[in-house]
Structures are given as C-alpha cells and as structure tokens.
Amino acid sequence: MSFGFLALNNNNDVLISSDTKNLHFLQKRTSPTTVSFTSNDYGGMRRWIYSFSNVNTVPVPFFSVPTTDYYAISRVEDKGSNNWDIEIIQVGYVYEHARSLFICTAHGGSPSWNLRYGGF
C-alpha cells in the first residue's frame, strides 16, 4: 500500500486498507422469480431461482432461514449482460414461507449505484 489508511491489529493482520473492498447492500427479494423444482419425495426438496439484472460485478447473496428445514445457495450463474441467476435449494416439507434473498456487491456493483447512493 503506497497511500491511504492502514489499520493493523496486534498480530499485524490488516483490518482496514485502501485496497479493502467492502460489500454494500444492493437489493432484496422476498419471492423467487422461478420455482424450478418441487417434490415431497424422500423428505421433500424445493429449488428456487432468483433473477437479478443490472449487476455488473459478481453478487454475494445472503438469505433468511424462515423454517427449521435446510437451505443452501447452490448456484450463482452469470447470464450475461449484467444479469444473474441465484439458486436456493431447501430440503424439507415446509415451503409456504418466503425466503428473503439479499444481494451485496463491491462498491459500484450496479451502473445506477452513483445515482442511488449520492455519487460516492
């Protein structure tokens, strides 16, 4: 690092530097774009796809867990032209509850970022 601010802890690990990229919240979805698979066989399984557009960096997804079933992000797919699909799978029978999906990106992850967030 040749300029900026550098903060280290007692073990000389970098906490903050001018090279650090922080994630910023971009979008929230409470329902999937597509339900790609549903089955109650062998304990039940659901697969949902959430589609996002106008995201020009790799999105980092987080999701809520509304039931005691098992959930996981199984795929983040670049569809081209700043479009992304994120797939969540669930193992279990309870599927009436909405799963909230939160998308974060590095600063500037959306072309409209500067308009929405005051031109940082």
Side-chain angles (χ1 to χ4, degrees), residues 56-113:
N56 60 12
T57 62
V58 177
V60 179
F62 299 90
F63 60 92
S64 65
V65 180
T67 69
T68 57
D69 291 338
Y70 296 98
Y71 295 84
I73 294 172
S74 58
R75 182 169 50 111
V76 176
E77 181 180 4
D78 183 356
K79 302 297 279 186
S81 301
N82 296 335
N83 297 311
W84 295 84
D85 279 354
I86 298 171
E87 183 180 74
I88 292 181
I89 57 172
Q90 172 208 358
V91 176
Y93 290 114
V94 181
Y95 58 91
E96 295 85 15
H97 302 283
R99 287 125 328 269
S100 296
L101 185 67
F102 303 88
I103 295 298
C104 297
T105 64
H107 180 71
S110 170
S112 61
W113 183 272

Side-chain angles (χ1 to χ4, degrees), residues 1 19 26 29-30 33 35 53 70 101-102 111 118 120:
M1 184 177 105
D19 299 327
L26 187 63
R29 295 280 171 85
T30 56
T33 308
V35 178
S53 59
Y70 296 98
L101 185 67
F102 303 88
F120 292 118

